Amino acid sequence: MLGPRQVDQAALFYEFSIEGHIPADHMLRAIDRFIDLSAVRGEMASFYSHTGRPSIDPELMIRMLLVGYCFGIRSERRLCDEVHLNLAYRWFCRLGLDGRVPDHSTFSKNRHGRFRESDLFRRVFEMVVSRCMEEGFVGGEGFAVDGSLIKADANRQSGIEGANWSAPEKANRAVKEYVAALDDAAFGSATAVTPKFISPADPAARWTAANGGAAFFAYTANYMIDLDHAIIVDVEATTAIRQGEVTAAKRMIERTREEFGLYPARLAADSGYGSAEMLGWLVHEQGIEPHIPVFDKSARTDGTFSRRDFTWDRPNDIYRCPAGKVLTTSGTIVNDNQLLYRASKYDCEVCELKARCCPKEPARKVPRSIHEGARDMARDIAKTEAYVTSRRQRKKIEMLFAHLKRILKLDRLRLRGPNGARDEFHLAATAQNLRKLAKLIPMPAPKPA
């Protein structure tokens, strides 16, 4: 039987509770258990004036931004519309039915002002990491580091071969941030190589073709995770070159030690972090086992003996060649922190193996890094079962980057400049940790009526 026509009848009173209309298994219900922003107002109080119109609650803006990053809502205009219409978003943001959603321009004004001055996004990220530690999901025994390229908000067709920053006071915000970061080891001073192209809109973005396809302007999102549950314990934005990523790894290791008291026993990473200097820093200065492939270019391809064919005699500080002759060093450091071990010219001239050792030189020379002990340690670790386990666990960080780009839609930045990249990476990492907590600790079963 056809039912009666639905007619809009205005009522004088309604009994309506948002709480009752949010599904028990909604993600925001699970995430809300781990968000405590009660301290935000107190920390931000000094950044607001004591006179004038009442401000927008900073906790409301942070909650709205977390909704946007958790659900891949990249536009703040659209975020405001979604929060206005979606009951679950209103509930999470503590707005109720009649709460007013702030204008999208409020986010920009606060981001470029008091939020960056107070480093609020970093503080919120650390709050969530602390909660992960309280729940027992950060063991601190094994860490992994890696970086992933994120496209910048810069048109690859508009790059120029040079730029004049002689009047930075007339430049836009991204240019001013670039000039301010020229001495930063993670940005301007990461390498002395001049970039091929510079974007006038965002000069700190690096022109790169590291992904193997067409070149584009990009930043690098650097993560350090705990290997047990893939919790992101630190995040850093750098320019899109390997030297910047190595600098970020050092910063993150030192910062997690200072902020959270985490002392990892081992670090897993790819061969890009396997330079002699990095391995030496990990082993000798930090006491961390490097579960990292050694970056080694000593192997020869012309058929002559490589360095591995020479035997290192550590007690006597000498090398022995395949013919049993001795190579010694003067102890002078040359060529990028290396020692040269030289054979005697008289030994090499009469040696039967000279054609396979040094056919074009009067005597053989073998370079050895001053950090070769750390490299040898990394090579020994690579033969263990623990190394195989670390290599398998390291894939978790690759999955986080895939989640960042595919689910959170952060395959291209919306903000410009080093600070814009830093803000986006911190908010995205916070959202990923919250989603991870919601997955690891399911919602309790509803009590029967």
Side-chain angles (χ1 to χ4, degrees), residues 64-382:
M64 288 183 64
L65 288 171
L66 289 177
V67 167
Y69 279 85
C70 283
F71 292 93
I73 304 174
R74 302 290 295 127
S75 167
E76 286 166 0
R77 285 179 182 268
R78 184 180 162 222
L79 174 63
C80 292
D81 293 339
E82 293 288 339
V83 173
H84 177 71
L85 296 172
N86 192 301
L87 288 179
Y89 296 171
R90 278 186 168 272
W91 173 85
F92 182 78
C93 296
R94 309 294 192 262
L95 278 173
L97 281 177
D98 55 353
R100 181 183 177 185
V101 178
D103 188 76
H104 66 88
S105 62
T106 304
F107 292 95
S108 179
K109 292 177 182 178
N110 282 275
R111 182 192 303 111
H112 296 306
R114 53 180 66 95
F115 284 1
R116 284 184 183 167
E117 293 172 7
S118 63
D119 206 9
L120 181 59
F121 296 144
R122 176 71 194 181
R123 292 286 301 115
V124 173
F125 170 76
E126 291 176 350
M127 289 179 191
V128 175
V129 174
S130 297
R131 183 60 186 270
C132 294
M133 295 176 64
E134 292 173 8
E135 298 292 344
F137 295 126
V138 179
E141 288 296 320
F143 283 173
V145 294
D146 203 359
S148 183
L149 295 179
I150 307 294
K151 291 182 179 179
D153 184 25
N155 189 343
R156 63 184 300 270
Q157 303 295 337
S158 63
I160 57 178
E161 295 189 9
N164 181 14
W165 314 120
S166 58
E169 67 279 356
K170 299 180 181 179
N172 60 29
R173 183 182 292 109
V175 172
K176 292 178 180 178
E177 290 182 12
Y178 167 71
V179 174
L182 285 176
D183 294 331
D184 190 340
F187 284 97
S189 63
T191 176
V193 177
T194 303
K196 184 176 182 180
F197 296 109
I198 295 176
S199 169
D202 190 356
R206 191 81 178 188
W207 179 258
T208 178
N211 284 346
F216 56 93
F217 292 106
Y219 286 92
T220 298
N222 297 276
Y223 279 2
M224 182 162 70
I225 70 168
D226 181 87
L227 288 176
D228 290 341
H229 295 93
I231 297 296
I232 304 169
V233 295
D234 209 346
V235 57
E236 182 84 358
T238 65
T239 188
I241 57 174
R242 179 57 70 175
Q243 295 93 320
E245 296 178 29
V246 173
T247 299
K250 293 180 179 180
R251 288 181 179 177
M252 292 188 292
I253 290 172
E254 294 173 340
R255 192 160 51 202
T256 51
R257 179 170 297 179
E258 295 173 1
E259 297 293 336
F260 306 114
L262 295 175
Y263 295 83
R266 64 186 187 278
L267 180 74
D270 59 32
S271 59
Y273 299 85
S275 65
E277 291 76 11
M278 182 62 178
L279 295 175
W281 183 82
L282 287 172
V283 173
H284 302 306
E285 297 187 31
Q286 303 298 315
I288 299 174
E289 291 184 1
H291 289 225
I292 304 172
V294 178
F295 185 76
D296 190 356
K297 290 187 176 181
S298 63
R300 294 191 172 187
T301 58
D302 58 357
T304 59
F305 294 130
S306 299
R307 185 172 58 193
R308 64 173 177 267
D309 298 313
F310 291 73
T311 305
W312 166 243
D313 185 347
R314 180 173 182 176
N316 296 314
D317 191 20
I318 59 174
Y319 272 103
R320 294 189 182 276
C321 72
K325 303 301 181 180
V326 174
L327 286 78
T328 60
T329 180
S330 63
T332 303
I333 298 176
V334 297
N335 297 338
D336 196 18
N337 292 326
Q338 289 186 335
L339 298 172
L340 279 182
Y341 289 76
R342 302 173 185 270
S344 169
K345 178 180 177 181
Y346 301 103
D347 289 339
C348 291
E349 283 180 345
V350 298
C351 181
E352 297 178 354
L353 300 177
K354 189 176 188 305
R356 294 185 57 195
C357 185
C358 53
K360 299 179 180 180
E361 300 290 338
R364 180 62 187 262
K365 296 180 290 184
V366 174
R368 179 181 175 84
S369 171
I370 61 175
H371 305 293
E372 196 66 29
R375 286 156 59 92
D376 290 339
M377 179 179 179
R379 294 186 183 101
D380 293 338
I381 291 174

Side-chain angles (χ1 to χ4, degrees), residues 15-24 26 29 86-88 91 97:
E15 290 186 5
F16 186 88
S17 172
I18 292 184
E19 178 74 27
H21 285 73
I22 310 303
H26 197 283
R29 278 195 180 276
N86 192 301
L87 288 179
W91 173 85
L97 281 177

